[in-house]
Amino acid sequence: MGDLNTSIQYLKGIGPKRAYRLRRLHIETVRDLIYYIPRDYDDRTSYKTLMESQKGEKVSLKVEITGFGIINRPRRNLSILKVPFKDSSAYGNMVYFNQDYLKDRFVPGQVYLINGKFNKVGMEYQIMNPVFENPSETKKVGRIVPIYLLTEGLKNQELINIIANTLKEYLKYVEEFLPEDIISKYNFMDIREALYSIHFPKSMEEMVKARNRLAYEELLAIQLGLFIIKNRTMSNNNGIIFPSRPEISKFIDKLPFKLTKSQIKVLNEIIMDMESKKQMNRLIQGDVGSGKTIIGVIAMYKAIISGYQAAMMAPTEILATQHFESISKTLKGSGINCELLVGSLSKKNKYRILKDLREGCIDILIGTHALIQEGVDFQNLGLVITDEQHRFGVNQRADLSKKGDNPDIIVMTATPIPRTLALILYGDLDISIIDELPPGRKEIETYAVGQDMKERIYRFIKKQLLEHRQCYIVCPLIEESENLDITSAEELYAYLKEEVFPDFKLGLLHGKMIPKEKELVMEEFKANKIQILVSTTVIEVGVNVPNANIMVIFNAERFGLAQLHQLRGRVGRGEYQSYCILINESMNPISRERMRILQSSSDGFEISEKDLELRGPGEFFGTKQHGLPELKVANLVRDTKILSYTQIDAQEIIRKGYLQSEEYRNLELRVRDLFVKINYELNY
Ligand code: ADP
Ligand code: MG
């Protein structure tokens, strides 16, 4: 009794079928049920009379049925049931579509509470598809009804009943875990009140108050966990001490370009970390094209001349391959041995690489996730770099670092993230920012156009191709169906190849192709044997073909701004004037506004902040994508203010060592629990 970990199948009214359906919603225990937060609310508290109601408004009314229902069938598949009623002000009709079975439910003289949308057609007052109940109940009308995310075979009202019963029986066993001083500081509800009110609020204000408290505790717990990890790594004095070496400046002097001020600043931060005894855990943030790779290469060079190996992990084979090629080129003649480890390698090659790696004959290993697999053993790993980090989680970072003995870690990302968000998404890392592009970059001319401009765009592309330039054409990834996505890229490819550009060489690239095929296509594109590359977003990160100067994006409205900015960053990498053409196929004003932002700004930070405002967190800013515990209540965009409070509070709690005190015991347990869920053991 009283255990929140009780499996739902032991609850009253939940048989095997319901339990199965609830599990599909990831509800396994009483706690999961209690924390199954409504996704929305239907506020049915507003009582009005017919005369007071406005067209389109949702209203609750007390009515008396005045006649029998009448069914009309204006066309096949449509029936309209009208039930006449009166309230204290006038006569009206309840109107139901395709619900003939309701006809016999209503008998003249019955009194109901109803709620639905008010409508007026000529002189006739209507309430559309109203819910109704006896005045003695007030379950559906006259209150705020929580709306839950459902699954097939489970109705909202069923879930409401289940949750109401569960709260009745178990809420008293939920323990407070916010300490008294925090509760009084923010004037929070206590946990039981908050959990009750988030499901069944008496007013929308009460719901907001409950949500604020629950969002706060959720964000505080994650933030605390991350700061604990960060603290531990910061005070980890078993890091490698790389000696200070003069060869570094010689290496930098020999580069074909001068480092920017920003690059030098970030490089110095890295070098300081490397030469200290603490283990480096550093995020390098820098817009596309800001020159992050070379900073990583210099750091790897430093590790290697100090007698260590280095590893670089990228999210896709294309990107890993490209890094391998460009880094090998940069390091040519330095005597440093660089190898590529990707899934598509032949068994024989893989065997050789793994052997050389163990024996220390390989200095730098570049690859994909394949790097963290078992059997990949370094002789003496000193530095780990992961590129385009938003695809890796806290855990994968840890896995990679286990391949060595406290190696230093650098994480690189091109996604510009506002500071408050960076503190949670990368809360376990120190942060360096490259906020300047190398000189001489030409601004990419960006145009947002409608469908009707396609012919002109094709002519423009032809002209550029005749001047030996190359072009990317990107189609959106349609989330509902990956297959649809591929057909659309394939269809576009076939169409363009046959109908529009029969005299040119086109290539197709998408995520479902086998790595060997992808590699081949990329090779041909790099060599200008393919002039137009039609692709899905697989080319989004890092791909570098300086001769390509046109990026055309179909259905641009379907992408996040940050993502469009990334895609745009694929061009403008060479000496030629570059163009980005966004084909916006939506009339929606927000989507036009978004296109306008991209047209007028080339600053990744600005773009991503605006995107957050307009669109919400999206895929880049989800906690799950970052390998963090999933948020149940909080929302990283809506709750930025709460987030910044939790950051200040978490810092203080850690600094003052409060977590060890009795009053914070429950909070500490909760933090551990959260991180166990992502298989991260918080020992400290
Ligand atoms: P990103 O930060 O997007 O990963 P890259 O590291 O791929 O950017 O750098 C983009 C291009 O800029 C590369 O071709 C690189 O050689 C070049 N580059 C890097 N730093 C400089 C610099 N200081 N001056 C000129 N070109 C540079
Ligand atoms: Mg890069």
Side-chain angles (χ1 to χ4, degrees), residues 255-261 263 285-295 322-323 326 330 387-388 412-414 434 437-439 441 542-544 546 566 569-570 572-573:
L255 292 175
F257 45 73
K258 252 182 76 184
L259 294 181
T260 62
K261 269 208 200 87
Q263 283 174 314
Q285 235 187 314
D287 212 341
V288 267
S290 60
K292 295 181 289 292
T293 316
I294 191 65
I295 300 302
Q322 185 182 285
H323 273 320
S326 84
T330 311
D387 193 16
E388 312 295 354
M412 304 200 289
T413 177
I434 305 182
L437 292 182
R441 289 275 162 82
V543 169
N544 193 20
Q566 286 266 345
R570 296 311 109 220
R573 303 190 146 240

Side-chain angles (χ1 to χ4, degrees), residues 46-61 116-120 125-128:
S46 153
Y47 274 103
K48 294 245 165 129
T49 62
L50 281 174
M51 293 295 278
E52 290 166 339
S53 302
Q54 304 290 324
K55 210 168 169 168
E57 184 182 20
K58 263 200 110 178
V59 292
S60 295
L61 305 155
K117 206 179 249 176
F118 176 81
N119 192 21
K120 201 178 156 194
Y125 295 132
Q126 301 180 335
I127 304 292
M128 314 306 290

Side-chain angles (χ1 to χ4, degrees), residues 473-491:
I473 296 182
V474 176
C475 299
L477 190 119
I478 296 162
E479 268 185 8
E480 286 79 16
S481 159
E482 296 252 332
N483 289 329
L484 220 81
D485 160 43
I486 292 172
T487 12
S488 70
E490 268 173 355
E491 270 167 11

Side-chain angles (χ1 to χ4, degrees), residues 416-429:
I417 311 165
R419 186 186 142 77
T420 319
L421 280 187
L423 271 184
I424 189 157
L425 296 179
Y426 300 109
D428 54 329
L429 306 175

